Amino acid sequence: MLTNFIETIQSRSDLIQQAFVEHIYLSFIALAIGIAIALPLGILIARYRKYAEPVIGVTAIFQTIPSLALFGFLVPLMGIGSNTALIALIIYALLPILRNTYTGIISVDSSITEAGRGMGMTRSQILTQIEFPLALPFIMAGIRTATVLTVGIATLATFVGAGGLGDVIYRGLQSYNNSLVLAGALPVALLAISFDLLLKWVEKKATPKGMKTN
Amino acid sequence: MIRFDQVTKKFPDGTEALKNVSLTIPTGELTAIIGPSGCGKTTLMKMINRLEIPTNGDILIDEKSIKETDQVELRRSIGYVIQRIGLLPHMTIEKNAGLVPKLKGWSDEKTQLRVRELMTTVGLEPDIYLPRYPLELSGGQQQRIGVVRALAGDPNIVLMDEPFSALDPISREQLQKELRSLQQRIQKTIVFVTHDMDEALKIADNIIVMREGEVEQIGSPDDLIHEPANDFVRDFIGQERINRQRTFAQRKIHELTSFFSQARTSEQIAEISSTDSIETAISMLEKPNVNLLAIRHKDEFVGYIDQTSLLRAVIAKEEGGNHAD
Ligand SMILES: Nc1ncnc2c1ncn2[C@@H]1O[C@H](COP(=O)(O)OP(=O)(O)OP(=O)(O)O)[C@@H](O)[C@H]1O
Ligand SMILES: [Mg+2]
């Protein structure tokens, strides 16, 4: 079994390598765009709180759609290809980042922001010097969740022809080649776990120094 | 001078925190605001730096409406000690204390000098506490940093919302004294919210007594003690405290005019002013070579008083209750 697995990796190394790169590419682009959308949006709804519930609500609805079904919905609209996969992945990445950014900012103690206002900090100074640094651990936790989620779901990109490690798994399944299935699944799991650990560490680093005694 | 002109504050939920308040807070003096919890003290104070906006009416500083000053500029020019302390937990004490100077664009050197000086004033060793973070300080120490932060930018007006509430009686008394002497030295306009009548009586030049969004009385500590405007103020000060503040020995000589004599019954005379206290008179009469006090009112001589007449005054007080003048 093990020798079989190693042989498979060696003979299909081109395929696996390419799938691996695609997988990381898909996940990262989706995450980057997800952060670029969710972070400012989270900050915005923390400021205009009456919009918070509807915005988070809509995002949460998308999140509850099973991932395979979401890909299925998108294909008739956008056809197949990596853009379709990206859209789906971005949709999943949004919620954790959005919700954590929002929660992180609104949970900053109002006495602290009031002190900032009272001392004559401008709104943007309060955001950048008080709210953002204090919310950063939350935001990082959101990004971590989104990363693990995206890396996992990117496995389904193969169904819309966008490649990724799902390709390897799918081919393995089609040809009853368990080793090939494993050669696709194992990297996905490793990717998810290592990003999780890495970001956990970043999250810790992001906790402002004075807060650690908390 | 800070002037409230018919200021009303109604919160969106309908709470009327201030009801048509008009008052003046004189420049260079320490004005205390006192009243039961929820009477609107904090709201009144926050109106001065526009943390709360009046529903009606206007607030003027030196007769200029605060609406005409940019609110960020206004706040940087007013020191503010907030009731809930509100230190920024992710910044060191040094950064916290130097925040306003930094916002104002002071040099690091000037800021540091100022912060260190103030730290020493409030009794916190700069070298020990400046590198720490707020959560590494006790509540009382944090509160003192709040005071340092408010004073650091050298504002002309300082708003202090129960700044000493978390302190033990000893450091509290010490800080009251410091504040008092600081105020006399640098003549800032200080608005000081407190729950504690003793504190108000001790440190304030003027006291504003509030109840349910309205001002019940404004006056000096003496005014409040001697002429409480109504039963609420009297109760709030407390009869016991009124008596304590007006012990016989603390009354002024001129309250005893009816016991003055014009007869120079001894040659061993010392001079005393009519505004000195009876306590002072007693201790002067205790000196071996003094039998009689010559009382001066402004520049005029108004009479003599000796031990016997003081004794008579005491007896009269015992018989006549609290008002034996
Ligand atoms: N943002 C707000 N929304 C609604 N009501 C408020 C708000 N802030 C204060 N109030 C109400 O206004 C009234 C005055 O509040 P304020 O904080 O000025 O009282 P205070 O005199 O400072 O009391 P304390 O001595 O307990 O600090 C209270 O009834 C309070 O509940
Ligand atoms: Mg208050």
Side-chain angles (χ1 to χ4, degrees):
Chain A
M1 170 79 199
L2 189 64
T3 42
N4 202 344
F5 178 57
I6 292 169
E7 263 172 32
T8 312
I9 291 181
Q10 278 165 348
S11 63
R12 299 294 192 91
S13 73
D14 278 355
L15 172 73
I16 296 169
Q17 251 172 36
Q18 192 202 345
F20 190 79
V21 171
E22 278 169 358
H23 202 97
I24 290 187
Y25 169 82
L26 275 175
S27 309
F28 268 73
I29 299 287
L31 261 177
I33 297 175
I35 293 172
I37 296 172
L39 197 65
L41 194 61
I43 292 170
L44 217 60
I45 58 174
R47 181 163 294 173
Y48 304 101
R49 292 195 192 167
K50 61 179 171 201
Y51 301 113
E53 214 169 303
V55 171
I56 291 180
V58 168
T59 329
I61 289 174
F62 279 118
Q63 189 91 19
T64 53
I65 301 175
S67 29
L68 202 50
L70 185 63
F71 280 97
F73 288 134
L74 287 173
V75 171
L77 294 173
M78 307 202 40
I80 55 169
S82 58
N83 281 350
T84 310
L86 275 177
I87 298 276
L89 291 179
I90 290 166
I91 287 175
Y92 282 106
L94 284 182
L95 182 69
I97 303 172
L98 181 72
R99 192 162 44 195
N100 279 36
T101 305
Y102 172 73
T103 315
I105 288 180
I106 66 161
S107 59
V108 172
D109 192 337
S110 67
S111 68
I112 299 170
T113 43
E114 192 189 310
R117 286 205 297 145
M119 285 184 295
M121 293 174 99
T122 60
R123 270 193 155 189
S124 56
Q125 281 169 333
I126 291 175
L127 178 66
T128 54
Q129 291 176 34
I130 298 182
E131 290 174 327
F132 192 75
L134 291 179
L136 199 56
F138 284 84
I139 297 173
M140 285 314 301
I143 292 178
R144 179 158 71 98
T145 311
T147 308
V148 175
L149 208 67
T150 312
V151 169
I153 295 175
T155 318
L156 299 179
T158 178
F159 294 114
V160 293
L165 286 161
D167 263 3
V168 182
I169 300 174
Y170 188 59
R171 281 188 202 188
L173 287 172
Q174 274 185 330
S175 54
Y176 301 101
N177 183 345
N178 281 344
S179 293
L180 197 56
V181 173
L182 206 60
L186 208 61
V188 175
L190 286 177
L191 264 182
I193 292 170
S194 41
F195 277 130
D196 191 47
L197 289 177
L198 177 75
L199 289 172
K200 208 180 240 171
W201 178 80
V202 175
E203 196 180 314
K204 235 184 197 157
K205 284 276 158 193
T207 307
K209 221 175 156 202
M211 306 292 290
K212 279 179 185 157
T213 45
N214 220 347
Chain B
M1 187 178 74
I2 305 167
R3 189 159 70 82
F4 279 65
D5 185 19
Q6 307 194 332
V7 174
T8 296
K9 175 69 187 185
K10 216 178 196 162
F11 285 107
D13 67 353
T15 317
E16 217 176 347
L18 292 179
K19 298 168 188 159
N20 202 22
V21 169
S22 293
L23 56 84
T24 318
I25 295 168
T27 303
E29 293 187 6
L30 198 157
T31 300
I33 306 174
I34 193 162
S37 190
C39 69
K41 305 182 292 294
T42 297
T43 309
L44 187 137
M45 178 170 270
K46 283 191 198 167
M47 302 228 129
I48 300 173
N49 61 1
R50 278 179 80 76
L51 285 176
E52 298 287 4
I53 311 287
T55 315
N56 265 313
D58 199 6
I59 293 128
L60 304 100
I61 295 178
D62 296 329
E63 289 309 311
K64 185 180 168 204
S65 167
I66 56 172
K67 284 184 290 197
E68 287 164 31
T69 312
D70 172 60
Q71 74 178 23
V72 166
E73 285 309 312
L74 178 80
R75 289 174 186 157
R76 287 179 191 173
S77 70
I78 297 178
Y80 180 40
V81 183
I82 93 166
Q83 187 167 6
R84 294 176 297 155
I85 307 179
L87 297 180
L88 313 186
H90 56 304
M91 293 185 188
T92 58
I93 299 303
E94 180 158 22
K95 285 245 170 68
N96 265 285
L99 214 87
V100 179
K102 192 180 157 208
L103 290 170
K104 283 180 148 183
W106 289 16
S107 73
D108 288 351
E109 234 164 49
K110 187 176 168 194
T111 306
Q112 206 180 32
L113 219 65
R114 175 79 179 149
V115 166
R116 289 186 148 264
E117 179 198 322
L118 285 166
M119 289 289 285
T120 315
T121 307
V122 301
L124 294 174
E125 173 57 46
D127 288 327
I128 296 178
Y129 293 100
L130 286 181
R132 290 208 189 166
Y133 285 92
L135 291 173
E136 298 165 353
L137 265 57
S138 74
Q141 290 168 339
Q142 291 182 27
Q143 211 166 34
R144 281 183 263 178
I145 302 299
V147 174
V148 170
R149 181 175 67 180
L151 295 172
D154 213 7
N156 289 324
I157 297 174
V158 186
L159 311 176
M160 305 182 125
D161 201 344
E162 308 201 21
F164 303 149
S165 59
L167 299 182
D168 61 280
I170 294 173
S171 10
R172 186 179 185 138
E173 191 149 331
Q174 187 198 335
L175 275 190
Q176 288 169 346
K177 273 193 197 135
E178 280 294 346
L179 182 68
R180 190 71 214 144
S181 75
L182 193 78
Q183 203 273 332
Q184 274 160 1
R185 216 165 56 232
I186 51 185
Q187 302 284 305
K188 306 241 181 233
T189 307
I190 299 178
V191 185
F192 189 103
V193 168
T194 176
H195 263 117
D196 179 353
M197 190 46 100
D198 284 318
E199 184 167 74
L201 291 171
K202 205 182 300 172
I203 65 171
D205 298 303
N206 318 288
I207 300 177
I208 300 174
V209 184
M210 292 184 65
R211 170 171 63 163
E212 291 174 12
E214 285 172 294
V215 173
E216 294 289 323
Q217 184 171 6
I218 305 182
S220 68
D222 261 3
D223 293 343
L224 257 62
I225 299 262
H226 293 274
E227 290 151 35
N230 52 36
D231 285 347
F232 173 78
V233 177
R234 196 191 314 276
D235 286 350
F236 201 71
I237 297 173
Q239 194 60 47
E240 175 260 342
R241 197 178 276 112
I242 292 179
N243 292 344
R244 177 146 44 89
Q245 289 279 331
R246 276 176 57 84
T247 56
F248 187 75
Q250 285 174 344
R251 295 197 193 179
K252 311 260 188 284
I253 306 276
H254 65 72
E255 292 186 58
L256 305 181
T257 323
S258 54
F259 297 95
F260 290 179
S261 96
Q262 297 302 323
R264 189 185 172 97
T265 52
S266 164
E267 285 308 316
Q268 297 187 308
I269 297 178
E271 243 190 41
I272 191 165
S273 156
S274 68
T275 55
D276 281 335
S277 69
I278 292 168
E279 210 165 19
T280 316
I282 292 170
S283 62
M284 285 174 76
L285 283 167
E286 272 168 2
K287 288 182 190 154
N289 51 352
V290 177
N291 288 326
L292 194 63
L293 297 176
I295 302 150
R296 220 178 349 89
H297 180 67
K298 306 223 166 96
D299 282 324
E300 272 175 60
F301 164 76
V302 289
Y304 296 105
I305 198 157
D306 63 7
Q307 266 174 340
T308 322
S309 36
L310 272 179
L311 206 59
R312 286 213 186 92
V314 174
I315 293 165
K317 180 215 168 207
E318 286 294 292
E319 284 170 357
N322 213 20
H323 289 280
D325 301 341

